[in-house]
Amino acid sequence: MGFRCKITGGKNVEFDEGVITAVNFISDTPDASNARSTDLGVILKIVGRINFSLGAAVEDSTVELANWALMPSDKSDCYREVQIQVVNGGQIVRQYKYPNAFVMDYAEDLNDDEGVGTFTLLVKQKKDLTAKVELKGNFEA
């Protein structure tokens, strides 16, 4: 299984199966609720490799992720569309689309043991637009 990630709005970013290593879909409701809450948050946790390129032979798109994470809320492109495709055997088996996502957290972990860094991007759909999140599956071969 592999993952493809496409982020549009502002400067576009794309990652293929060789970069993204894990994706978590999180539906978050208040823990203190005794009934189904209308206060629903929808989160994506995306983990991947940072592939450094000497001489800028290949653009390091994680730089754009870090810049997006630093963007203040008064900038219009602090909200972007994030699309994740889950690929199995060359076929898309699931797709998540967050049309108005913002960065909750972004982290880069670097060490000299492996020579490759990792990043973790936590994005959340803008709460008043939660109904616009799309989750698709059962694609035909």
Side-chain angles (χ1 to χ4, degrees), residues 55-118:
V58 177
E59 183 178 5
D60 178 6
S61 295
T62 56
V63 171
E64 180 56 26
L65 294 183
N67 286 326
W68 182 27
L70 296 173
M71 190 170 292
S73 62
D74 62 348
K75 299 285 185 181
S76 62
D77 58 348
C78 73
Y79 295 101
R80 299 185 183 182
E81 180 177 296
V82 177
Q83 179 177 296
I84 297 289
Q85 294 177 330
V86 181
V87 181
N88 194 3
Q91 296 290 324
I92 298 170
V93 294
R94 180 147 301 170
Q95 181 172 288
Y96 303 94
K97 184 175 173 185
Y98 287 41
N100 301 91
F102 63 94
V103 178
M104 288 178 59
D105 285 305
Y106 178 75
E108 294 183 348
D109 296 313
L110 311 170
N111 68 60
D112 63 357
D113 292 335
E114 298 174 19
V116 175
T118 60

Side-chain angles (χ1 to χ4, degrees), residues 2-137:
F3 308 97
R4 297 178 190 148
C5 177
K6 184 176 183 181
I7 301 170
T8 55
K11 187 173 180 184
N12 295 347
V13 175
E14 289 190 47
F15 298 110
D16 62 13
E17 294 94 325
V19 175
I20 304 298
T21 58
V23 173
N24 297 82
F25 168 79
I26 304 162
S27 173
D28 186 36
T29 57
D31 294 336
S33 179
N34 290 323
R36 180 64 178 168
S37 174
T38 58
D39 188 19
L40 175 66
V42 189
I43 301 166
L44 273 176
K45 180 180 178 183
I46 304 164
V47 180
R49 293 181 188 89
I50 301 173
N51 296 320
F52 298 104
S53 175
L54 297 176
V58 177
E59 183 178 5
D60 178 6
S61 295
T62 56
V63 171
E64 180 56 26
L65 294 183
N67 286 326
W68 182 27
L70 296 173
M71 190 170 292
S73 62
D74 62 348
K75 299 285 185 181
S76 62
D77 58 348
C78 73
Y79 295 101
R80 299 185 183 182
E81 180 177 296
V82 177
Q83 179 177 296
I84 297 289
Q85 294 177 330
V86 181
V87 181
N88 194 3
Q91 296 290 324
I92 298 170
V93 294
R94 180 147 301 170
Q95 181 172 288
Y96 303 94
K97 184 175 173 185
Y98 287 41
N100 301 91
F102 63 94
V103 178
M104 288 178 59
D105 285 305
Y106 178 75
E108 294 183 348
D109 296 313
L110 311 170
N111 68 60
D112 63 357
D113 292 335
E114 298 174 19
V116 175
T118 60
F119 70 88
T120 303
L121 174 66
L122 200 62
V123 296
K124 186 174 189 176
Q125 172 71 4
K126 192 174 183 221
K127 188 166 274 195
D128 61 331
L129 299 171
T130 299
K132 294 189 177 214
V133 169
E134 295 177 22
L135 170 60
K136 295 180 181 177

